Amino acid sequence: MLDRITVDAILFDLDGTLMDTDDQAVETLARQLQRLHWPCPQRAARRLVMASETPGNALMTLVDVLGLDAPLMVLTDRLRRWRGLRTQDNFRVIAGVEEMLAELNGRYRLAVVTTRGLAEAEVFLDQYDLRGLFDALVTRESTWRLKPHPAPIRRAARLLGVPVERCVMVGDTTVDVRAARRAGAWAVAVLCGLGEREELERADAHLILEHTAQLSSLL
């Protein structure tokens, strides 16, 4: 499909798309279950993390419908500071992503569109020396509304100077797909995160890939 449309820019989600946080979440939960002598902790952890994905996406959609995106993020940031939580600095990049981005660089305008905070996004990009590849970085501080609201995608398109209909949004959840669809961008879903094919199809993704790294071979 992508070879039949005009694409000027590619927007990437972070978690489960460029950043391998899903496996990290599974490993962390598995260690906690192991301490509780839970049978088959690795398998149980993966099932629990995957089971939380759909309710989590539903919550983000409800927050968007109610227009509570900004107040919720302010509250979350305050709670993190109150609890003394620091910005994570041991992110993992999904295999093949660095090579894929290098191949797309110069051919397309690239941007990150994430609900993570700016500090965490910059730490990840700097950790793998990727920041210079992106022309725009849209985080939860960038707009009053978050995905699945179309505002973050539309902001990225404006920052890039590209019509939104010539942008492709790449993400691993229905939140990314719905945001792209509502903004008028093309929605590409990937299965290397926690999103499942059936729900991504129901969300009306234009294209579903097994892995983010496959993108460069399709453009």
PDB file of all heavy atoms in Angstrom, residues 163-192:
ATOM      1  N   PRO A 163       2.001  18.269   4.866  1.00  0.00           N
ATOM      2  CA  PRO A 163       0.561  18.022   5.002  1.00  0.00           C
ATOM      3  C   PRO A 163       0.320  16.718   5.762  1.00  0.00           C
ATOM      4  O   PRO A 163       1.002  15.719   5.507  1.00  0.00           O
ATOM      5  CB  PRO A 163       0.073  17.915   3.554  1.00  0.00           C
ATOM      6  CG  PRO A 163       1.109  18.628   2.740  1.00  0.00           C
ATOM      7  CD  PRO A 163       2.412  18.397   3.453  1.00  0.00           C
ATOM      8  N   VAL A 164      -0.629  16.719   6.686  1.00  0.00           N
ATOM      9  CA  VAL A 164      -0.829  15.549   7.526  1.00  0.00           C
ATOM     10  C   VAL A 164      -1.203  14.317   6.711  1.00  0.00           C
ATOM     11  O   VAL A 164      -0.872  13.183   7.088  1.00  0.00           O
ATOM     12  CB  VAL A 164      -1.892  15.851   8.616  1.00  0.00           C
ATOM     13  CG1 VAL A 164      -3.276  15.946   8.021  1.00  0.00           C
ATOM     14  CG2 VAL A 164      -1.838  14.811   9.733  1.00  0.00           C
ATOM     15  N   GLU A 165      -1.855  14.530   5.575  1.00  0.00           N
ATOM     16  CA  GLU A 165      -2.240  13.381   4.745  1.00  0.00           C
ATOM     17  C   GLU A 165      -1.045  12.743   4.048  1.00  0.00           C
ATOM     18  O   GLU A 165      -1.180  11.666   3.447  1.00  0.00           O
ATOM     19  CB  GLU A 165      -3.299  13.794   3.711  1.00  0.00           C
ATOM     20  CG  GLU A 165      -2.863  14.842   2.717  1.00  0.00           C
ATOM     21  CD  GLU A 165      -3.138  16.270   3.190  1.00  0.00           C
ATOM     22  OE1 GLU A 165      -3.356  16.469   4.401  1.00  0.00           O
ATOM     23  OE2 GLU A 165      -3.118  17.180   2.334  1.00  0.00           O
ATOM     24  N   ARG A 166       0.119  13.385   4.135  1.00  0.00           N
ATOM     25  CA  ARG A 166       1.337  12.779   3.588  1.00  0.00           C
ATOM     26  C   ARG A 166       2.245  12.241   4.696  1.00  0.00           C
ATOM     27  O   ARG A 166       3.423  11.978   4.467  1.00  0.00           O
ATOM     28  CB  ARG A 166       2.095  13.804   2.734  1.00  0.00           C
ATOM     29  CG  ARG A 166       1.332  14.209   1.481  1.00  0.00           C
ATOM     30  CD  ARG A 166       2.201  14.982   0.517  1.00  0.00           C
ATOM     31  NE  ARG A 166       1.499  15.312  -0.708  1.00  0.00           N
ATOM     32  CZ  ARG A 166       2.077  15.842  -1.783  1.00  0.00           C
ATOM     33  NH1 ARG A 166       3.372  16.115  -1.760  1.00  0.00           N
ATOM     34  NH2 ARG A 166       1.368  16.104  -2.866  1.00  0.00           N
ATOM     35  N   CYS A 167       1.675  12.101   5.880  1.00  0.00           N
ATOM     36  CA  CYS A 167       2.405  11.544   7.024  1.00  0.00           C
ATOM     37  C   CYS A 167       1.950  10.115   7.305  1.00  0.00           C
ATOM     38  O   CYS A 167       0.774   9.792   7.170  1.00  0.00           O
ATOM     39  CB  CYS A 167       2.165  12.387   8.271  1.00  0.00           C
ATOM     40  SG  CYS A 167       2.823  14.063   8.211  1.00  0.00           S
ATOM     41  N   VAL A 168       2.886   9.291   7.717  1.00  0.00           N
ATOM     42  CA  VAL A 168       2.590   7.935   8.175  1.00  0.00           C
ATOM     43  C   VAL A 168       2.886   7.876   9.662  1.00  0.00           C
ATOM     44  O   VAL A 168       3.981   8.251  10.097  1.00  0.00           O
ATOM     45  CB  VAL A 168       3.453   6.886   7.440  1.00  0.00           C
ATOM     46  CG1 VAL A 168       3.277   5.506   8.061  1.00  0.00           C
ATOM     47  CG2 VAL A 168       3.089   6.843   5.960  1.00  0.00           C
ATOM     48  N   MET A 169       1.910   7.438  10.448  1.00  0.00           N
ATOM     49  CA  MET A 169       2.112   7.236  11.887  1.00  0.00           C
ATOM     50  C   MET A 169       2.349   5.758  12.139  1.00  0.00           C
ATOM     51  O   MET A 169       1.529   4.919  11.767  1.00  0.00           O
ATOM     52  CB  MET A 169       0.887   7.717  12.670  1.00  0.00           C
ATOM     53  CG  MET A 169       0.977   7.482  14.170  1.00  0.00           C
ATOM     54  SD  MET A 169       2.253   8.494  14.958  1.00  0.00           S
ATOM     55  CE  MET A 169       2.752   7.445  16.329  1.00  0.00           C
ATOM     56  N   VAL A 170       3.472   5.443  12.784  1.00  0.00           N
ATOM     57  CA  VAL A 170       3.833   4.049  13.063  1.00  0.00           C
ATOM     58  C   VAL A 170       3.756   3.819  14.567  1.00  0.00           C
ATOM     59  O   VAL A 170       4.420   4.511  15.344  1.00  0.00           O
ATOM     60  CB  VAL A 170       5.255   3.733  12.560  1.00  0.00           C
ATOM     61  CG1 VAL A 170       5.561   2.246  12.744  1.00  0.00           C
ATOM     62  CG2 VAL A 170       5.418   4.132  11.097  1.00  0.00           C
ATOM     63  N   GLY A 171       2.935   2.861  14.982  1.00  0.00           N
ATOM     64  CA  GLY A 171       2.805   2.576  16.406  1.00  0.00           C
ATOM     65  C   GLY A 171       2.317   1.161  16.640  1.00  0.00           C
ATOM     66  O   GLY A 171       1.906   0.470  15.705  1.00  0.00           O
ATOM     67  N   ASP A 172       2.333   0.746  17.901  1.00  0.00           N
ATOM     68  CA  ASP A 172       2.011  -0.654  18.214  1.00  0.00           C
ATOM     69  C   ASP A 172       0.651  -0.833  18.877  1.00  0.00           C
ATOM     70  O   ASP A 172       0.289  -1.964  19.213  1.00  0.00           O
ATOM     71  CB  ASP A 172       3.093  -1.258  19.106  1.00  0.00           C
ATOM     72  CG  ASP A 172       3.086  -0.675  20.512  1.00  0.00           C
ATOM     73  OD1 ASP A 172       3.144   0.559  20.630  1.00  0.00           O
ATOM     74  OD2 ASP A 172       3.007  -1.443  21.486  1.00  0.00           O
ATOM     75  N   THR A 173      -0.112   0.245  19.081  1.00  0.00           N
ATOM     76  CA  THR A 173      -1.383   0.116  19.789  1.00  0.00           C
ATOM     77  C   THR A 173      -2.519   0.763  19.013  1.00  0.00           C
ATOM     78  O   THR A 173      -2.299   1.561  18.083  1.00  0.00           O
ATOM     79  CB  THR A 173      -1.323   0.764  21.190  1.00  0.00           C
ATOM     80  OG1 THR A 173      -1.279   2.192  21.045  1.00  0.00           O
ATOM     81  CG2 THR A 173      -0.121   0.277  21.981  1.00  0.00           C
ATOM     82  N   THR A 174      -3.738   0.449  19.448  1.00  0.00           N
ATOM     83  CA  THR A 174      -4.917   1.062  18.838  1.00  0.00           C
ATOM     84  C   THR A 174      -4.952   2.569  19.074  1.00  0.00           C
ATOM     85  O   THR A 174      -5.546   3.310  18.292  1.00  0.00           O
ATOM     86  CB  THR A 174      -6.194   0.418  19.393  1.00  0.00           C
ATOM     87  OG1 THR A 174      -6.226   0.567  20.820  1.00  0.00           O
ATOM     88  CG2 THR A 174      -6.259  -1.067  19.049  1.00  0.00           C
ATOM     89  N   VAL A 175      -4.318   3.020  20.143  1.00  0.00           N
ATOM     90  CA  VAL A 175      -4.235   4.455  20.423  1.00  0.00           C
ATOM     91  C   VAL A 175      -3.526   5.177  19.277  1.00  0.00           C
ATOM     92  O   VAL A 175      -3.965   6.237  18.809  1.00  0.00           O
ATOM     93  CB  VAL A 175      -3.508   4.702  21.761  1.00  0.00           C
ATOM     94  CG1 VAL A 175      -3.138   6.172  21.917  1.00  0.00           C
ATOM     95  CG2 VAL A 175      -4.381   4.256  22.934  1.00  0.00           C
ATOM     96  N   ASP A 176      -2.431   4.591  18.788  1.00  0.00           N
ATOM     97  CA  ASP A 176      -1.683   5.188  17.675  1.00  0.00           C
ATOM     98  C   ASP A 176      -2.502   5.165  16.393  1.00  0.00           C
ATOM     99  O   ASP A 176      -2.534   6.142  15.643  1.00  0.00           O
ATOM    100  CB  ASP A 176      -0.372   4.423  17.462  1.00  0.00           C
ATOM    101  CG  ASP A 176       0.526   4.442  18.679  1.00  0.00           C
ATOM    102  OD1 ASP A 176       0.897   5.533  19.125  1.00  0.00           O
ATOM    103  OD2 ASP A 176       0.859   3.354  19.183  1.00  0.00           O
ATOM    104  N   VAL A 177      -3.158   4.039  16.146  1.00  0.00           N
ATOM    105  CA  VAL A 177      -3.955   3.894  14.926  1.00  0.00           C
ATOM    106  C   VAL A 177      -5.102   4.894  14.913  1.00  0.00           C
ATOM    107  O   VAL A 177      -5.346   5.581  13.912  1.00  0.00           O
ATOM    108  CB  VAL A 177      -4.484   2.457  14.795  1.00  0.00           C
ATOM    109  CG1 VAL A 177      -5.444   2.347  13.621  1.00  0.00           C
ATOM    110  CG2 VAL A 177      -3.325   1.469  14.634  1.00  0.00           C
ATOM    111  N   ARG A 178      -5.817   4.996  16.023  1.00  0.00           N
ATOM    112  CA  ARG A 178      -6.965   5.906  16.087  1.00  0.00           C
ATOM    113  C   ARG A 178      -6.527   7.361  15.952  1.00  0.00           C
ATOM    114  O   ARG A 178      -7.199   8.167  15.297  1.00  0.00           O
ATOM    115  CB  ARG A 178      -7.726   5.692  17.387  1.00  0.00           C
ATOM    116  CG  ARG A 178      -8.454   4.353  17.440  1.00  0.00           C
ATOM    117  CD  ARG A 178      -9.402   4.278  18.624  1.00  0.00           C
ATOM    118  NE  ARG A 178     -10.104   3.005  18.641  1.00  0.00           N
ATOM    119  CZ  ARG A 178      -9.899   2.038  19.521  1.00  0.00           C
ATOM    120  NH1 ARG A 178      -9.026   2.212  20.503  1.00  0.00           N
ATOM    121  NH2 ARG A 178     -10.577   0.905  19.461  1.00  0.00           N
ATOM    122  N   ALA A 179      -5.406   7.708  16.569  1.00  0.00           N
ATOM    123  CA  ALA A 179      -4.904   9.080  16.454  1.00  0.00           C
ATOM    124  C   ALA A 179      -4.571   9.410  15.005  1.00  0.00           C
ATOM    125  O   ALA A 179      -4.896  10.499  14.511  1.00  0.00           O
ATOM    126  CB  ALA A 179      -3.671   9.263  17.333  1.00  0.00           C
ATOM    127  N   ALA A 180      -3.917   8.473  14.318  1.00  0.00           N
ATOM    128  CA  ALA A 180      -3.559   8.690  12.919  1.00  0.00           C
ATOM    129  C   ALA A 180      -4.799   8.849  12.061  1.00  0.00           C
ATOM    130  O   ALA A 180      -4.897   9.773  11.232  1.00  0.00           O
ATOM    131  CB  ALA A 180      -2.706   7.527  12.418  1.00  0.00           C
ATOM    132  N   ARG A 181      -5.747   7.960  12.241  1.00  0.00           N
ATOM    133  CA  ARG A 181      -6.979   8.002  11.455  1.00  0.00           C
ATOM    134  C   ARG A 181      -7.722   9.316  11.673  1.00  0.00           C
ATOM    135  O   ARG A 181      -8.207   9.943  10.723  1.00  0.00           O
ATOM    136  CB  ARG A 181      -7.868   6.823  11.839  1.00  0.00           C
ATOM    137  CG  ARG A 181      -7.494   5.507  11.181  1.00  0.00           C
ATOM    138  CD  ARG A 181      -7.771   5.604   9.704  1.00  0.00           C
ATOM    139  NE  ARG A 181      -7.907   4.312   9.087  1.00  0.00           N
ATOM    140  CZ  ARG A 181      -8.360   4.126   7.847  1.00  0.00           C
ATOM    141  NH1 ARG A 181      -8.715   5.167   7.116  1.00  0.00           N
ATOM    142  NH2 ARG A 181      -8.437   2.934   7.323  1.00  0.00           N
ATOM    143  N   ARG A 182      -7.816   9.745  12.908  1.00  0.00           N
ATOM    144  CA  ARG A 182      -8.558  10.970  13.228  1.00  0.00           C
ATOM    145  C   ARG A 182      -7.840  12.213  12.697  1.00  0.00           C
ATOM    146  O   ARG A 182      -8.477  13.220  12.389  1.00  0.00           O
ATOM    147  CB  ARG A 182      -8.766  11.067  14.731  1.00  0.00           C
ATOM    148  CG  ARG A 182      -9.723  10.010  15.260  1.00  0.00           C
ATOM    149  CD  ARG A 182      -9.690   9.914  16.760  1.00  0.00           C
ATOM    150  NE  ARG A 182     -10.269  11.081  17.416  1.00  0.00           N
ATOM    151  CZ  ARG A 182     -10.335  11.236  18.741  1.00  0.00           C
ATOM    152  NH1 ARG A 182      -9.845  10.293  19.537  1.00  0.00           N
ATOM    153  NH2 ARG A 182     -10.876  12.312  19.257  1.00  0.00           N
ATOM    154  N   ALA A 183      -6.510  12.137  12.603  1.00  0.00           N
ATOM    155  CA  ALA A 183      -5.740  13.279  12.097  1.00  0.00           C
ATOM    156  C   ALA A 183      -5.750  13.349  10.581  1.00  0.00           C
ATOM    157  O   ALA A 183      -5.451  14.396  10.006  1.00  0.00           O
ATOM    158  CB  ALA A 183      -4.301  13.188  12.597  1.00  0.00           C
ATOM    159  N   GLY A 184      -6.070  12.222   9.923  1.00  0.00           N
ATOM    160  CA  GLY A 184      -6.025  12.183   8.466  1.00  0.00           C
ATOM    161  C   GLY A 184      -4.710  11.659   7.937  1.00  0.00           C
ATOM    162  O   GLY A 184      -4.418  11.774   6.736  1.00  0.00           O
ATOM    163  N   ALA A 185      -3.891  11.047   8.820  1.00  0.00           N
ATOM    164  CA  ALA A 185      -2.612  10.459   8.414  1.00  0.00           C
ATOM    165  C   ALA A 185      -2.806   8.972   8.113  1.00  0.00           C
ATOM    166  O   ALA A 185      -3.850   8.383   8.396  1.00  0.00           O
ATOM    167  CB  ALA A 185      -1.584  10.637   9.529  1.00  0.00           C
ATOM    168  N   TRP A 186      -1.772   8.361   7.560  1.00  0.00           N
ATOM    169  CA  TRP A 186      -1.779   6.928   7.309  1.00  0.00           C
ATOM    170  C   TRP A 186      -1.351   6.200   8.584  1.00  0.00           C
ATOM    171  O   TRP A 186      -0.418   6.626   9.265  1.00  0.00           O
ATOM    172  CB  TRP A 186      -0.856   6.584   6.153  1.00  0.00           C
ATOM    173  CG  TRP A 186      -1.316   7.187   4.863  1.00  0.00           C
ATOM    174  CD1 TRP A 186      -0.976   8.417   4.365  1.00  0.00           C
ATOM    175  CD2 TRP A 186      -2.224   6.619   3.936  1.00  0.00           C
ATOM    176  NE1 TRP A 186      -1.620   8.638   3.177  1.00  0.00           N
ATOM    177  CE2 TRP A 186      -2.392   7.553   2.880  1.00  0.00           C
ATOM    178  CE3 TRP A 186      -2.907   5.403   3.882  1.00  0.00           C
ATOM    179  CZ2 TRP A 186      -3.213   7.300   1.795  1.00  0.00           C
ATOM    180  CZ3 TRP A 186      -3.736   5.153   2.785  1.00  0.00           C
ATOM    181  CH2 TRP A 186      -3.883   6.091   1.764  1.00  0.00           C
ATOM    182  N   ALA A 187      -2.027   5.107   8.884  1.00  0.00           N
ATOM    183  CA  ALA A 187      -1.777   4.373  10.124  1.00  0.00           C
ATOM    184  C   ALA A 187      -1.112   3.035   9.832  1.00  0.00           C
ATOM    185  O   ALA A 187      -1.714   2.151   9.208  1.00  0.00           O
ATOM    186  CB  ALA A 187      -3.081   4.140  10.879  1.00  0.00           C
ATOM    187  N   VAL A 188       0.130   2.893  10.285  1.00  0.00           N
ATOM    188  CA  VAL A 188       0.853   1.625  10.179  1.00  0.00           C
ATOM    189  C   VAL A 188       1.047   1.070  11.577  1.00  0.00           C
ATOM    190  O   VAL A 188       1.630   1.738  12.441  1.00  0.00           O
ATOM    191  CB  VAL A 188       2.215   1.801   9.485  1.00  0.00           C
ATOM    192  CG1 VAL A 188       3.012   0.504   9.535  1.00  0.00           C
ATOM    193  CG2 VAL A 188       2.017   2.242   8.035  1.00  0.00           C
ATOM    194  N   ALA A 189       0.555  -0.130  11.811  1.00  0.00           N
ATOM    195  CA  ALA A 189       0.687  -0.770  13.118  1.00  0.00           C
ATOM    196  C   ALA A 189       1.759  -1.844  13.066  1.00  0.00           C
ATOM    197  O   ALA A 189       1.966  -2.481  12.029  1.00  0.00           O
ATOM    198  CB  ALA A 189      -0.652  -1.393  13.536  1.00  0.00           C
ATOM    199  N   VAL A 190       2.441  -2.037  14.183  1.00  0.00           N
ATOM    200  CA  VAL A 190       3.482  -3.060  14.274  1.00  0.00           C
ATOM    201  C   VAL A 190       3.147  -4.016  15.419  1.00  0.00           C
ATOM    202  O   VAL A 190       2.539  -3.633  16.417  1.00  0.00           O
ATOM    203  CB  VAL A 190       4.873  -2.435  14.479  1.00  0.00           C
ATOM    204  CG1 VAL A 190       5.285  -1.647  13.242  1.00  0.00           C
ATOM    205  CG2 VAL A 190       4.911  -1.532  15.715  1.00  0.00           C
ATOM    206  N   LEU A 191       3.575  -5.265  15.266  1.00  0.00           N
ATOM    207  CA  LEU A 191       3.251  -6.309  16.234  1.00  0.00           C
ATOM    208  C   LEU A 191       4.408  -6.632  17.171  1.00  0.00           C
ATOM    209  O   LEU A 191       4.356  -7.628  17.882  1.00  0.00           O
ATOM    210  CB  LEU A 191       2.819  -7.588  15.491  1.00  0.00           C
ATOM    211  CG  LEU A 191       1.570  -7.449  14.623  1.00  0.00           C
ATOM    212  CD1 LEU A 191       1.312  -8.738  13.847  1.00  0.00           C
ATOM    213  CD2 LEU A 191       0.360  -7.085  15.473  1.00  0.00           C
ATOM    214  N   CYS A 192       5.436  -5.787  17.198  1.00  0.00           N
ATOM    215  CA  CYS A 192       6.569  -6.035  18.092  1.00  0.00           C
ATOM    216  C   CYS A 192       6.346  -5.436  19.475  1.00  0.00           C
ATOM    217  O   CYS A 192       7.184  -5.586  20.370  1.00  0.00           O
ATOM    218  CB  CYS A 192       7.867  -5.516  17.487  1.00  0.00           C
ATOM    219  SG  CYS A 192       7.773  -3.832  16.848  1.00  0.00           S
TER     220      CYS A 192
END
